[in-house]
Amino acid sequence: MEFLNNNTHVSITIATDVLSVGWDSQHTRNAVVFGEPADVDEFVQKIGRIGRNRRLVQNPRAFLYYSRSALQTAQRVIDNHTSSNCIDPLPSRSANAPNSATETMDISMARLLLAECRPRELDLLYNNPVEDEECTCHPCRNNPPAKRPEKCACNGPKCQPETLPTDFQFVMFEGDNSTSTQKTRTRRGEAITKDMRTFGTQALQEFRQEVFMQADEEAYGFLPPQPFLPDDIIQALIDKIYSIHTIDDIALLVSPDSPLKPHMPALLERCIQLRSEFDKQRDNMKAKRSKPTSELTHDEQSSELTHSNIRVKLEEAQN
């Protein structure tokens, strides 16, 4: 596990349950569990892989993505447990295996899913005190335990949702269905035509391939070219090409831990070149439109005559 334990460049690690046993990640900040585990012990085992070195990761977070039917299943498990004369509000976790072949959820997991506050429910299930006495042993002095937040942000019904960092922002693209942002009007002389977008997309994809080929194989050997410069970021760069003047302007569009970060100066230079190429294409289109009819090529004259005929017919129809 050396390539994971000491690799600070790894952004995402995807693994099966095998990795949830015996591996302590020093640099991983978040644990994401897809699908509700059978019981709380299994869930805690999975999310306990992160934040082991609290000096490197001070605020580890756990996310659980459960199925649509999980809450209904959890409520049914609790109802069945109550109706079977098990009225102890905090039953032993190991003594509460599912009592039906159709139920695969333990009562402890059901309680956690329906809890008003998830950390509080975990404390109740494991008999944890609300406040731990400060430990003065050598390991705790060197690696102090995390302190509880003043306000819980577990997204439970009685807890506030997590507050995103002030510098967090969504990048909006053409075709985004969101109605929360207003489309910015393009300034005169800065509109991006279809041909410009096609040319810019190809140019930035070539840049992405160059960066991929230069990347450190030991650090990024498992990554394909796409994460170095995702397609949505390429389109955002093209949309904002006339607003990009510094590396900081690009940094607003790129993730802080992106493998593209060391190549920001080269990307800025490529964007400036692209902007210059767009200006040339725009000048060529203007020159083409301002040409006298006598200077147009045969094909251009035919196209011009066609447009003239259309205008005449429209005027006749209006009269």
Side-chain angles (χ1 to χ4, degrees):
M1 306 300 292
E2 187 73 17
F3 74 101
L4 286 177
N5 291 337
N6 299 320
N7 192 344
T8 59
H9 300 288
V10 174
S11 298
I12 299 174
T13 302
I14 301 175
T16 62
D17 287 350
V18 174
L19 200 64
S20 68
V21 179
W23 176 57
D24 296 334
S25 173
Q26 295 189 66
H27 305 284
T28 306
R29 296 189 296 271
N30 304 318
V32 182
V33 180
F34 286 89
E36 60 278 4
D39 57 42
V40 167
D41 288 338
E42 183 180 340
F43 176 63
V44 172
Q45 177 71 23
K46 292 175 186 291
I47 66 175
R49 301 305 94 208
I50 61 172
R52 309 294 286 195
N53 188 328
R54 288 184 285 271
R55 295 190 183 278
L56 294 177
V57 179
Q58 296 182 359
N59 296 298
R61 301 181 300 171
F63 299 87
L64 173 62
Y65 285 86
Y66 48 82
S67 60
R68 291 182 180 180
S69 60
L71 297 182
Q72 289 86 348
T73 301
Q75 188 63 58
R76 191 162 58 249
V77 169
I78 291 178
D79 292 343
N80 291 343
H81 176 78
T82 304
S83 63
S84 61
N85 297 324
C86 295
I87 59 174
D88 181 7
L90 296 173
S92 170
R93 299 185 309 280
S94 60
N96 287 282
N99 58 4
S100 170
T102 61
E103 303 290 4
T104 59
M105 185 183 295
D106 182 78
I107 183 66
S108 61
M109 196 68 215
R111 289 182 179 277
L112 182 65
L113 287 176
L114 297 176
E116 294 183 340
C117 176
R118 277 65 184 251
R120 182 174 180 274
E121 185 65 28
L122 287 174
D123 286 340
L124 292 172
L125 287 168
Y126 288 99
N127 294 321
N128 293 333
V130 177
E131 293 292 339
D132 290 321
E133 294 183 6
E134 185 176 357
C135 182
T136 58
C137 72
H138 182 70
C140 287
R141 286 202 306 269
N142 291 337
N143 195 12
K147 294 183 178 180
R148 293 173 182 265
E150 293 183 4
K151 294 183 179 180
C152 181
C154 74
N155 285 350
K158 288 194 174 181
C159 299
Q160 63 181 5
E162 181 182 17
T163 302
L164 293 175
T166 55
D167 59 348
F168 184 89
Q169 57 181 283
F170 292 97
V171 179
M172 309 303 297
F173 310 110
E174 286 188 27
D176 197 312
N177 294 324
S178 174
T179 59
S180 60
T181 59
Q182 189 173 4
K183 208 169 184 179
T184 305
R185 179 175 294 182
T186 305
R187 289 183 292 184
R188 186 178 180 86
E190 296 183 359
I192 305 298
T193 66
K194 185 177 179 180
D195 289 340
M196 289 178 185
R197 186 172 296 278
T198 301
F199 179 86
T201 299
Q202 183 177 353
L204 292 176
Q205 286 176 345
E206 291 174 357
F207 175 79
R208 176 174 67 190
Q209 189 65 25
E210 293 173 9
V211 171
F212 171 71
M213 297 302 294
Q214 297 170 10
D216 182 1
E217 187 171 352
E218 183 178 349
Y220 301 110
F222 291 95
L223 290 180
Q226 179 79 7
F228 287 88
L229 187 57
D231 290 338
D232 55 351
I233 301 300
I234 287 179
Q235 297 309 313
L237 289 169
I238 294 173
D239 288 337
K240 299 179 179 295
I241 196 72
Y242 285 96
S243 302
I244 296 175
H245 303 286
T246 66
I247 293 177
D248 290 339
D249 296 331
I250 296 178
L252 293 174
L253 303 175
V254 179
S255 172
D257 55 355
S258 168
L260 183 66
K261 198 169 182 179
H263 305 276
M264 293 285 210
L267 180 57
L268 175 61
E269 184 178 349
R270 191 64 58 95
C271 288
I272 293 173
Q273 293 173 356
L274 202 55
R275 187 165 61 228
S276 176
E277 183 61 34
F278 286 174
D279 290 338
K280 288 180 183 177
Q281 291 186 19
R282 188 173 285 104
D283 291 341
N284 289 338
M285 287 188 291
K286 288 180 180 178
K288 193 183 225 181
R289 286 196 296 266
S290 62
K291 271 186 182 182
T293 306
S294 59
E295 295 183 13
L296 295 175
T297 64
H298 175 73
D299 291 339
E300 290 172 336
Q301 288 180 13
S302 299
S303 176
E304 191 70 24
L305 288 172
T306 301
H307 289 301
S308 298
N309 292 336
I310 292 173
R311 286 196 296 270
V312 170
K313 290 181 179 179
L314 287 173
E315 291 172 358
E316 290 176 352
Q318 291 173 353
N319 294 331

